[in-house]
Amino acid sequence: MNKTEIGVRMEHGPRWLALAGFYRDALHGREARLASIGAEVSRVRECAGAPHRAAEAALALARRHVHDLEGLSAGAIAAASLWLASRDLGGPRPLSDFLKCSKADKSAVRRAAWRLDELVRGRRPPLEEYVKTVAARAGLPAPVVRRALEILAGNRRAVVGRNPWVLAAASLWLAACREYGMLMRLANAAGATVEGVKNAARRMRA
């Protein structure tokens, strides 16, 4: 332990150090994820014959929005970022060009492309649309959708500023009575992690 850490421990105590350690680990995890995305961007760019500037723009997109893309693989984010970067640089390519070169699941790449496009354009449909989309992907009936929308309406404070895909999956899981197998299905349908959906559900009152 260096002198700075000793001073911090004396001034702030062990709780502060634990919090600082958490944020340090989170930062390292973010950089490791970005490194994985970067490696896949380089591979897919070369395979698809995209220009180097598209790869640079794709990496900038991924870095800016990495927290909003939770639950999507590095491969899916890389292919989607290259597609969007190529379009925004004035050399649009069909998404299929990058799908052919990606090792990621095709539906995951499409979800990543859709989500990135929303983030870049700064437009988001109403939360109801996310619920309906996730429910359709998971094969859930209309009564469950209605119940999920009621749950969201009763938890307005808990949903402000949250990822709409995660919120949609969490509300649908609560509406489906927290069935574990359904949790995994909904997380996959929303392009989110199981833990992310569970955490969002904990903040809601069903």
Side-chain angles (χ1 to χ4, degrees):
M1 180 181 291
N2 60 39
K3 290 180 180 179
T4 302
E5 288 174 319
I6 292 171
V8 166
R9 181 182 290 277
M10 290 174 65
E11 182 179 353
H12 298 285
R15 287 188 180 179
W16 191 94
L17 276 179
L19 187 61
F22 169 79
Y23 283 118
R24 183 178 61 248
D25 292 344
L27 178 62
H28 290 167
R30 177 179 183 272
E31 292 305 316
R33 180 161 164 77
L34 285 170
S36 297
I37 293 169
E40 189 64 8
V41 164
S42 297
R43 190 191 67 76
V44 174
R45 181 209 67 78
E46 186 174 353
C47 170
H52 284 283
R53 64 195 185 108
E56 292 168 2
L59 285 171
L61 274 174
R63 181 172 287 276
R64 193 178 313 131
H65 298 296
V66 67
H67 290 304
D68 297 302
L69 299 169
E70 178 193 355
L72 292 163
S73 69
I77 295 169
S81 299
L82 278 167
W83 167 74
L84 197 60
S86 298
R87 186 195 71 185
D88 291 350
L89 289 171
R93 302 271 298 271
L95 184 59
S96 58
D97 283 4
F98 302 104
L99 280 171
K100 286 185 290 189
C101 294
S102 177
K103 297 176 181 177
D105 179 74
K106 288 180 172 54
S107 63
V109 175
R110 291 190 182 96
R111 285 199 299 272
W114 184 11
R115 194 178 298 182
L116 263 177
D117 194 32
E118 287 177 355
L119 292 164
V120 168
R121 291 175 184 271
R123 57 171 174 79
R124 277 186 172 177
L127 191 49
E128 178 181 354
E129 295 303 313
Y130 292 92
V131 174
K132 289 179 178 177
T133 300
V134 174
R137 289 175 182 169
L140 291 177
V144 176
V145 174
R146 286 196 294 272
R147 177 60 187 139
L149 293 173
E150 289 171 1
I151 290 170
L152 289 171
N155 290 273
R156 293 189 185 278
R157 289 187 180 180
V159 305
V160 174
R162 306 285 180 181
N163 184 317
W165 293 102
V166 175
L167 291 173
S171 63
L172 286 164
W173 183 49
L174 291 173
C177 303
R178 299 176 185 259
E179 182 187 334
Y180 185 75
M182 183 59 67
L183 172 62
M184 298 178 68
R185 214 160 99 197
L186 286 166
N188 289 334
T193 63
V194 167
E195 197 57 37
V197 175
K198 284 175 73 175
N199 287 340
R202 287 190 193 107
R203 289 190 290 267
M204 296 183 196
R205 286 179 292 105

